[in-house]
Amino acid sequence: MERPAWAPQGIDITVPSVSRMYDFYLGGSHNFEVDREAARKAMEFMPGLPKIMQANRAFMCRAVRYAVSEGINQFLDIGSGIPTFGNVHEVAQAADPEARVAYVDHDPVAVAHSRVVLEGNERAVIAAADLRNPQGIVKSPEITGLLDLDRPVALLLVAVLHFIEDSDDPQTAVAELREALAPGSLIVITHASYEGIPLAPEEAGGTVDVYRNIRSPLVMRTRDEVTRFFEGYAMVEPGLVSMPNWRPDTPLAPEHEDPFAFSGFAGVGRKA
């Protein structure tokens, strides 16, 4: 397999990547056939995966605009993935040209491509780090050099926590990040769940198996389990809901919506 120019040396391009599969679902071009093959296999069990990812991206954009409307112009996006249209810095800086955005990812392709996309943008950076090591994030020179953690920050954990297994204690990682943030900060979360998926759990479980087989386990959590990630935050209305139901730009017409878009949960919390 020929290595494209945008793929950094040292990565195994024969192994599927969650971030490159996500890029494929959104119609991006920074993925390999091995990623597309795994994504298509997942879609055999859950054909609505691209719609779920689109709903996820649309929610993220609304949450970023909400944060700016609340006077927050600093963003920490962990598990940011490969940049595609409608990134956090594009949305935030369109709403506030002074907005500062720090991306974090542990995928070398996501980091390398982000550096190319962000070149020349003095108010956006990418740090190579892992959610499972929150202190490594908040103390990284890229983050501390751009964000003032003594002022409110919008922390984005969008479609990332469901790739952290319970054995890695994501609850503690999120709590450590909360403690590093100033009062008034926001947390923005989306999370996969069997709840809301228009399939029987055993059918949707086929997709979970695909991710497990590529050594990126997809952890489907319940509403109560997702709610616990918001401990220490006051939920912003309308609370923890499906992604399209969080402050939609226009009234929803359920009969015209793809039912897969309502899979899983989304919410925003504010630190007191």
Side-chain angles (χ1 to χ4, degrees):
M1 181 187 301
E2 184 177 350
R3 181 183 297 271
W6 52 263
Q9 296 295 323
I11 68 160
D12 187 347
I13 62 176
T14 67
V15 177
S17 154
V18 166
S19 60
R20 297 195 304 265
M21 290 170 66
Y22 185 77
D23 177 69
F24 171 71
Y25 293 135
L26 288 175
S29 59
H30 290 84
N31 48 76
F32 305 121
E33 181 55 35
V34 67
D35 307 306
R36 296 188 285 273
E37 183 180 345
R40 292 187 192 107
K41 190 171 295 183
M43 289 168 61
E44 289 177 8
F45 301 99
M46 201 181 297
L49 278 170
K51 191 63 182 181
I52 294 172
M53 305 313 169
Q54 292 164 18
N56 183 77
R57 179 55 59 103
F59 160 77
M60 183 198 75
C61 292
R62 296 196 304 276
V64 168
R65 290 193 293 267
Y66 170 78
V68 173
S69 75
E70 292 291 298
I72 295 177
N73 68 352
Q74 300 191 106
F75 296 84
L76 177 57
D77 183 4
I78 301 176
S80 50
I82 295 171
T84 52
F85 179 74
N87 293 292
V88 174
H89 72 280
E90 293 174 328
V91 177
Q93 291 173 353
D96 179 355
E98 299 297 311
R100 295 173 179 265
V101 179
Y103 292 110
V104 176
D105 208 286
H106 72 284
D107 184 322
V109 170
V111 172
H113 194 57
S114 295
R115 286 185 178 135
V116 173
V117 169
L118 300 176
E119 188 174 357
N121 190 328
E122 297 180 354
R123 291 186 172 85
V125 297
I126 175 72
D130 195 312
L131 174 57
R132 287 165 289 199
N133 179 17
Q135 292 306 309
I137 294 174
V138 298
K139 294 179 179 177
S140 73
E142 293 93 345
I143 304 303
T144 58
L146 183 71
L147 303 184
D148 179 0
L149 298 184
D150 291 328
R151 296 195 300 113
V153 171
L155 169 64
L156 279 72
L157 299 173
V158 176
V160 64
L161 285 167
H162 48 233
F163 291 113
I164 308 295
E165 296 183 271
D166 290 340
S167 58
D168 287 319
D169 198 4
Q171 194 78 38
T172 294
V174 173
E176 286 188 29
L177 289 167
R178 180 189 67 231
E179 292 307 307
L181 300 181
S185 292
L186 299 178
I187 188 171
V188 178
I189 292 175
T190 62
H191 201 295
S193 176
Y194 285 120
E195 299 178 44
I197 296 178
L199 295 172
E202 52 270 20
E203 292 180 82
T207 292
V208 174
D209 290 340
V210 170
Y211 280 91
R212 183 183 299 113
N213 290 339
I214 65 170
R215 300 181 182 178
S216 296
L218 177 60
V219 184
M220 308 290 267
R221 294 189 171 96
T222 66
R223 170 185 286 274
D224 287 345
E225 289 171 326
V226 176
T227 298
R228 286 200 284 274
F229 289 120
F230 290 91
E231 288 179 2
Y233 294 88
M235 293 297 296
V236 170
E237 290 294 333
L240 190 63
V241 294
S242 65
M243 293 179 289
N245 283 319
W246 196 90
R247 297 177 178 249
D249 293 327
T250 57
L252 295 179
E255 66 275 14
H256 297 144
E257 297 291 330
D258 188 316
F260 277 98
F262 296 86
S263 305
F265 296 108
V268 176
R270 178 180 287 105
K271 182 178 176 180

